Amino acid sequence: MQLFPTTQSPIANQLYNNFIALLVRLYPQRLGDILHQHCAFSSAMSISEKLQKVDRLKAWLDSFRPLSPTLVAELKKLYDVRFTYHSNAIEGNTLTQRETELVLETGITVGGKTWREHLEVIGHRDAIDYIEMLTRSDTAIGEWEIKQIHHLIIRAIAPEEAGRYRQLDVKAAGTEYLYPPHYLLSGLMPEFIQWLNSDKIRSLHPLELAAEAHLRFVLIHPFRDGNGRTGLLLMNLLLLGAVYPIVIMSNQMLAVLQQSQELD
C-alpha cells in the first residue's frame, strides 16, 4: 500500500482522509506510532534516498491543499509556539513551551521569569511573521532582509545591536573556536548573498539549499548575538519559499548541531 501518493486529485484526498479516520478509530492509542513508522528515516539510507522520501512525503502533504483558513490559522499558532520555544531555549531562555504559548496568546507575564525572556518570545514571533510576509511577496533575500530578521529578534533587548553587524571578534561560547574577524564581514556577507542568489544553487534540493545556507550563515556569525535564531529563520524562509512547511529542530538537537559546527 502506497501511503504517500503523488496525485493531488479530490478522490485521493477523500481516500486518505478516510484512511486517517480509520486509523484513528481502530488504533486511537497507536496512531502516532503508525505514522512515525511510515515517516521515519533509516540511518542506512543514503542522502539521495532520504531526499526522495522527503519528496514523496511532501507530495502527500500537498495532496491535502488547499487547507481551510481555520486550519491554517491553528497550524500557525501551533508552529509559532514550538518554533519560538525551541529556538529560544537553546539560547538559555527558561520559559517552557506552555509558558511560551501563554505569552504569545494572552500577553501575560510569567512569574519568576525575566522580562528579557518575555521579549525574546515576542521578538521571535514578530520575526516569523516577517519571513512569512517575505514569502508571500516573493522578495529576494539580501543583506537588508537578514538584518531586518535580526532586528526584530533583539530590538527590544539590545536596540543598539539590532540589525547591525558586530564590531568585535567573538568566540563560540565555551570553546576556543574563533569566528571570522569582524573586519571581514563587509566582504563575507555580500559573498554569502551572491551565493544565495546564484545560478549554481538551482540544482540543489530545497532541503540541501536550506541546510547549506544555514551552515554558511552561522559560520560567518555576522552579529554579536542572535545568530542562531536568525540562521534558523533564514533556513525556514528558504523552505517556505519552496512551499515546504516550517522545520522545527528541538533545542536538544540544536545543541548537538551547534557543537558539531563549532568543532568542524
Side-chain angles (χ1 to χ4, degrees):
M1 179 178 182
Q2 184 184 8
L3 184 58
F4 307 111
T6 56
T7 179
Q8 298 184 23
S9 70
I11 295 176
N13 287 344
Q14 186 60 50
L15 285 174
Y16 279 86
N17 285 338
N18 293 342
F19 173 68
I20 296 299
L22 178 63
L23 286 177
V24 172
R25 187 169 68 253
L26 295 178
Y27 309 102
Q29 304 303 320
R30 296 184 55 227
L31 178 58
D33 293 336
I34 292 170
L35 292 178
H36 177 75
Q37 178 182 352
H38 285 283
C39 296
F41 291 84
S42 166
S43 58
M45 296 172 66
S46 67
I47 293 296
S48 176
E49 290 172 330
K50 290 179 180 179
L51 292 177
Q52 289 175 16
K53 186 164 187 176
V54 165
D55 290 339
R56 293 195 297 272
L57 286 166
K58 184 176 183 298
W60 180 65
L61 176 63
D62 288 344
S63 72
F64 294 97
R65 301 180 189 275
L67 303 176
S68 71
T70 301
L71 180 56
V72 170
E74 288 301 313
L75 287 171
K76 174 172 171 53
K77 287 197 296 184
L78 175 68
Y79 282 95
D80 280 1
V81 169
R82 291 183 179 178
F83 188 13
T84 297
Y85 163 68
H86 285 290
S87 294
N88 284 336
I90 186 61
E91 303 298 334
N93 190 302
T94 65
L95 286 165
T96 66
Q97 184 166 304
R98 175 56 181 158
E99 290 168 342
T100 299
E101 181 180 6
L102 287 173
V103 173
L104 290 178
E105 294 191 1
T106 69
I108 67 171
T109 55
V110 179
K113 306 296 182 177
T114 67
W115 186 234
R116 177 190 175 99
E117 290 176 309
H118 291 79
L119 293 175
E120 286 178 339
V121 166
I122 296 169
H124 192 273
R125 188 271 316 278
D126 291 345
I128 294 174
D129 290 344
Y130 176 66
I131 66 169
E132 291 174 346
M133 182 275 291
L134 290 178
T135 301
R136 290 192 297 271
S137 61
D138 197 26
T139 302
I141 303 173
E143 287 186 80
W144 191 91
E145 284 71 28
I146 292 176
K147 288 181 177 180
Q148 185 65 9
I149 292 172
H150 182 262
H151 179 267
L152 290 169
I153 294 171
I154 69 167
R155 61 181 174 180
I157 302 166
E160 70 284 357
E161 296 178 6
R164 298 179 181 178
Y165 295 150
R166 55 185 166 86
Q167 297 298 308
L168 72 168
D169 295 345
V170 293
K171 292 181 179 180
T175 76
E176 291 302 311
Y177 179 82
L178 186 66
Y179 290 110
H182 68 280
Y183 55 82
L184 295 181
L185 295 176
S186 59
L188 290 174
M189 285 305 293
E191 288 177 8
F192 172 67
I193 296 301
Q194 183 178 16
W195 170 82
L196 196 59
N197 292 285
S198 65
D199 291 335
K200 67 177 66 174
I201 68 167
R202 299 188 187 280
S203 61
L204 294 176
H205 188 280
L207 264 64
E208 291 180 301
L209 170 59
E212 184 168 349
H214 176 265
L215 177 61
R216 286 175 179 249
F217 175 82
V218 296
L219 290 180
I220 294 172
H221 212 77
F223 305 106
R224 192 188 70 82
D225 189 26
N227 293 280
R229 285 165 286 189
T230 302
L232 289 172
L233 284 156
L234 173 62
M235 179 186 77
N236 275 297
L237 172 57
L238 293 168
L239 291 173
L240 289 172
V243 201
Y244 277 75
I246 279 180
V247 169
I248 299 172
M249 292 188 286
S250 71
N251 57 319
Q252 296 88 352
M253 184 185 299
L254 285 170
V256 173
L257 177 63
Q258 187 179 70
Q259 183 180 29
S260 66
Q261 289 173 343
E262 291 166 356
L263 292 175
D264 286 345

